[in-house]
Amino acid sequence: GTGAATGECPGGGGGVCGGGGGGGGGALLRGTGGREGRAVLDQLIPVLYSLEQLPLKIAGAAATGQHGRSSLVTDTTILEVGGKSVKEEFGVAKLTSKTGMAPRSVEPLEVLLVAEKSGKWPKDDEARRRVRVAWLQELGRCLVKSEVKCVARMMGERLVVMVSGQVLSFTINTSRSPECEVTSWLASVDKSTPAWSGTVRLAKRWLASHLLSCVPDLAIEVSVAVTLAASPLPPASPTAGLMVWLQMLASHDWNSRPLIHPDLQSEATDRSQLPPMAVLCPHSPTASHWTREVTWPQLQRMVSLANTCLSTPDISRAPLKLFTPNLDSYEALIHLKHLQIPNRHLQVSNLLEGSEQYSAKKSDNASRTLPILGHDCLSKYVSLLRSSYGNIAKFYHDKYGGSVIGVKIIDSKDDGKVKLGGIQGRMLVNNQAVTNWGAVIEDWSILGSGLVKNVEILNTDIML
């Protein structure tokens, strides 16, 4: 059991699911999870430590983010700049105002640089920020002058470096963050457990395919790591690892006890003080720190989906069904224009069935043009919907090439009285505030102009 649901997250079994214990899910894996970027960083670290011209020397460098944990779902291939929507300016690819296919972007490897200790840092926050930017600018100039063939540009308050066909993003701090610690631990899991990288990437794809991209990446990663560590016979393939993780989700009693890493079994914990998805793992600032944002409704949805997938007969012959969502539990669907989805090449049906092939010229390692970085208009649109209409609906999507956004209406039992902060999307009818669904749905299309194809209403009763 997972506690009582509040209606915050769509319930139900989540469709006909399946998945093989063989290699069916392996077709969804693209790239190596970020290992190429880490290999480039390993080659660059000796150069960083040897830079003598810097006012403050580099005391440490640590990879953070999904690259550092070998859990990056997307690939890191850099494509040639082209098309109507992208142009090159001074060695940097930039978006134009022209409409066309949404360009593919690259997720850079995030690197935290730790500067040596110094008492000369200013105390004022704004002054410290300016000093950090100036230091990173000087680092970029030193790297360009070194023997490393690279391109370096300041983008905002970070230094972006492209070397050997990989893009790295540098920031500076005076100490390592908690994320650096857990990233280092998960990187060691990657080295000791061959199935780790593929398993965690399939787990992310599975949750996202069922429109649960709202579950934090690190929550998925630590739960997979603890599951593999506690498995008496570690799986040898990513697909087998995914099935072990689904079995854990479905069978673990989340109400009464946390999921505990074998190294922490002796530690006493009070379940009532832990979040719904309680996972105890090494290098966590507080107990179950990395899973604290997962809510009971989200966890219940995950457990329900896992049970449905595992109970489907003859699942080995239908790997596509494992990643096929049931959209019947939503009140409305926001359909997106296919060519405006930046990572449409990652769509499940395309990768598993080869229903659509995308061809693009790869850029060679000697390219001097920085690609589009972190361009995800879909996630920005969903974030805008949640901030503007989160009082009346919940929005769910697949951040890995999903073409639909599921809308779950919040069934509020009130007498027509609302606070001023919750007046968005409402109108007065007989001195009562009611939701103006016609205007709201029109607003969804206007906010997503160019991205939204149409809004389909599945449950007309709740919107009347």
Side-chain angles (χ1 to χ4, degrees):
T2 59
T6 63
E8 179 186 356
C9 194
V16 180
C17 300
L28 292 177
L29 300 178
R30 284 293 177 266
T32 60
R35 292 191 183 106
E36 306 101 321
R38 284 215 319 274
V40 170
L41 176 62
D42 291 342
Q43 297 174 2
L44 195 60
I45 283 179
V47 178
L48 294 173
Y49 286 156
S50 64
L51 295 176
E52 299 291 340
Q53 301 86 353
L54 286 176
L56 280 178
K57 301 298 184 296
I58 296 175
T64 62
Q66 299 178 71
H67 290 73
R69 305 187 290 267
S70 297
S71 61
L72 182 69
V73 172
T74 60
D75 56 67
T76 58
T77 303
I78 298 177
L79 304 179
E80 289 186 1
V81 176
K84 294 192 300 182
S85 58
V86 181
K87 65 177 180 179
E88 179 184 352
E89 276 189 12
F90 306 106
V92 177
K94 295 185 177 181
L95 297 175
T96 68
S97 58
K98 297 180 180 179
T99 57
M101 293 189 300
R104 282 177 54 179
S105 63
V106 174
E107 293 296 330
L109 166 61
E110 301 291 339
V111 182
L112 176 66
L113 299 177
V114 179
E116 64 181 358
K117 299 294 183 180
S118 172
K120 298 181 180 180
W121 285 97
K123 296 182 179 180
D124 181 71
D125 291 339
E126 178 64 19
R128 291 174 69 90
R129 185 181 68 84
R130 293 175 180 271
V131 170
R132 287 192 182 101
V133 171
W135 186 89
L136 287 173
Q137 286 179 323
E138 184 62 27
L139 172 62
R141 285 191 286 266
C142 292
L143 283 176
V144 171
K145 293 178 181 178
S146 68
E147 71 273 11
V148 179
K149 296 181 179 179
C150 66
V151 177
R153 294 283 192 282
M154 286 297 300
M155 293 187 177
E157 297 182 13
R158 60 177 179 166
L159 174 66
V160 176
V161 176
M162 184 171 67
V163 54
S164 301
Q166 296 295 314
V167 182
L168 294 78
S169 175
F170 292 96
T171 55
I172 180 177
N173 209 329
T174 54
S175 61
R176 285 166 62 93
S177 66
E179 185 178 342
C180 288
E181 301 295 335
V182 74
T183 296
S184 179
W185 169 58
L186 292 176
S188 67
V189 172
D190 178 41
K191 293 180 180 178
S192 60
T193 310
W196 151 257
S197 178
T199 298
V200 73
R201 286 185 281 157
L202 286 181
K204 289 183 179 182
R205 291 238 54 178
W206 178 77
L207 279 176
S209 68
H210 291 281
L211 309 191
L212 286 177
S213 292
C214 51
V215 179
D217 288 325
L218 268 172
I220 305 171
E221 292 172 19
V222 297
S223 67
V224 172
V226 173
T227 300
L228 295 181
S231 176
L233 184 62
S237 71
T239 309
L242 175 65
M243 302 311 291
V244 170
W245 181 72
L246 291 177
Q247 184 65 47
M248 179 278 300
L249 272 181
S251 61
H252 186 75
D253 186 359
W254 296 101
N255 279 322
S256 61
R257 58 189 178 89
L259 182 66
I260 307 177
H261 190 276
D263 294 345
L264 305 178
Q265 291 289 349
S266 59
E267 296 187 8
T269 56
D270 182 2
R271 179 63 184 90
S272 63
Q273 302 299 317
L274 299 177
M277 189 177 181
V279 179
L280 304 184
C281 67
H283 304 287
S284 183
T286 57
S288 196
H289 175 81
W290 305 111
T291 57
R292 67 192 185 282
E293 296 180 12
V294 181
T295 64
W296 275 118
Q298 290 171 356
L299 179 58
Q300 186 182 44
R301 174 69 165 165
M302 294 164 62
V303 172
S304 177
L305 287 169
N307 273 302
T308 304
C309 292
L310 293 171
S311 62
T312 302
D314 199 20
I315 58 177
S316 62
R317 298 184 181 181
L320 179 60
K321 291 182 179 180
L322 179 63
F323 299 90
T324 300
N326 182 356
L327 303 177
D328 295 339
S329 60
Y330 298 98
E331 276 72 58
L333 299 176
I334 302 176
H335 295 278
L336 309 173
K337 295 181 179 178
H338 179 69
L339 295 180
Q340 297 306 314
I341 304 172
N343 53 3
R344 56 192 178 275
H345 64 291
L346 295 176
Q347 289 179 352
V348 172
S349 59
N350 174 50
L351 295 179
L352 288 181
E353 298 181 341
S355 57
E356 188 172 356
Q357 298 295 329
Y358 297 98
S359 60
K361 294 183 178 179
K362 296 181 180 180
S363 176
D364 56 49
N365 290 346
S367 174
R368 309 290 293 178
T369 303
L370 284 172
I372 301 292
L373 301 179
H375 174 62
D376 189 355
C377 53
L378 173 56
S379 293
K380 292 184 184 299
Y381 175 57
V382 173
S383 177
L384 181 60
L385 289 174
R386 288 172 177 167
S387 62
S388 302
Y389 299 96
N391 61 314
I392 60 176
K394 299 290 183 180
F395 301 90
Y396 302 91
H397 75 297
D398 178 0
K399 61 183 178 182
Y400 302 121
S403 60
V404 66
I405 299 173
V407 182
K408 189 69 179 174
I409 302 302
I410 299 177
D411 188 13
S412 57
K413 307 293 185 181
D414 55 42
D415 55 1
K417 297 179 180 180
V418 295
K419 295 181 179 179
L420 183 60
I423 199 66
Q424 303 99 316
R426 301 181 186 268
M427 61 181 178
L428 287 178
V429 176
N430 298 327
N431 294 325
Q432 289 187 334
V434 298
T435 304
N436 185 355
W437 286 113
V440 167
I441 293 172
E442 184 180 1
D443 285 349
W444 293 346
S445 297
I446 294 174
L447 287 174
S449 178
L451 176 63
V452 174
K453 181 167 59 176
N454 65 284
V455 180
E456 178 186 2
I457 308 301
L458 299 181
N459 187 350
T460 57
D461 295 337
I462 199 171
M463 292 188 171
L464 293 179

